[in-house]
Amino acid sequence: MPPPSVILLPLPTPPPFPTVPYSCVEHLTALKGSFQSPGYPLYEHNTDCVWMIKVVDGYTIQLIFDPIELENTHQCVKDYIKVFDNLHGSGDGQVICAYYNVYNYRLQTNTARIHYHSDHDNDQSRTLTPLAGFRASYKVVDIDECVYTHCSHSCRNLPGSYECRCPRGFFLSADGHNCFGHY
């Protein structure tokens, strides 16, 4: 009688690092708010979170991180916060890692994407206490449109907008920027 056939199946290849236990995505639209790393004040490993902030036109966003305690590595390759001036995460972005008591960052637009990444380990050999992660808040800041607007005479900044003004005896034209009248 011939021996039974044996079929050997390859074992699945394990992932190089443990899988991310969860990911988080939050959309923020209020005029001010806050967010923090998962598990704050003890940040968790294998985490990727994204916060997307969109506020009304005519305003920018001020981010205040208070505090930041992340693993400090050369060029922020392990754990980091990356801030983008858009919702898509395109461009270089501002990369933040290490330790800061307070870190302020003012964006140039009314949208922001904050990506937080924590890898599979935490080198705490340089610290005596566990790292906290981060806590952050944001608020809207009025854009001074008069800096960028070409009013023919004077400009008055308003919350979320601006107004061109004309001297006495002149009138604002239909374009809203130029004055006309008698000299």
Side-chain angles (χ1 to χ4, degrees), residues 11 31 44 55 136 155 168 183:
L11 293 173
L31 296 179
E44 300 176 10
V55 299
C155 182
R168 185 168 289 164
Y183 289 98

Side-chain angles (χ1 to χ4, degrees), residues 21-136:
Y22 65 91
S23 65
C24 47
V25 176
E26 190 172 354
H27 297 84
L28 305 166
T29 58
L31 296 179
K32 63 180 180 176
S34 62
F35 54 96
Q36 62 190 31
S37 56
Y40 181 86
L42 295 174
Y43 79 95
E44 300 176 10
H45 305 300
N46 295 322
T47 303
D48 275 287
C49 290
V50 174
W51 293 269
M52 288 182 263
I53 305 171
K54 181 170 176 47
V55 299
V56 295
D57 290 339
Y59 293 88
T60 62
I61 300 168
Q62 175 77 40
L63 291 173
I64 302 108
F65 292 91
D66 181 18
I68 298 174
E69 291 182 16
L70 300 180
E71 184 175 4
N72 189 7
T73 58
H74 180 68
Q75 296 182 343
C76 302
V77 294
K78 291 189 169 198
D79 298 354
Y80 56 83
I81 301 165
K82 198 165 189 179
V83 180
F84 298 94
D85 253 352
N86 58 71
L87 294 176
H88 307 290
S90 57
D92 292 333
Q94 172 72 35
V95 180
I96 308 163
C97 65
Y99 313 101
Y100 295 93
N101 284 331
V102 176
Y103 186 91
N104 286 293
Y105 186 73
R106 174 135 179 221
L107 291 102
Q108 300 301 310
T109 66
N110 68 326
T111 61
R113 179 184 181 110
I114 297 94
H115 176 203
Y116 164 68
H117 172 78
S118 170
D119 71 350
H120 66 284
D121 70 352
N122 186 349
D123 180 13
Q124 294 183 358
S125 61
R126 293 177 287 249
T127 65
L128 299 176
T129 59
L131 299 173
F134 74 89
R135 183 176 55 212

Side-chain angles (χ1 to χ4, degrees), residues 152-153 166-173 177-183:
S152 65
H153 282 84
C166 300
R168 185 168 289 164
F170 288 79
F171 302 94
L172 193 60
S173 67
H177 292 91
N178 294 300
C179 297
F180 69 94
H182 299 293
Y183 289 98

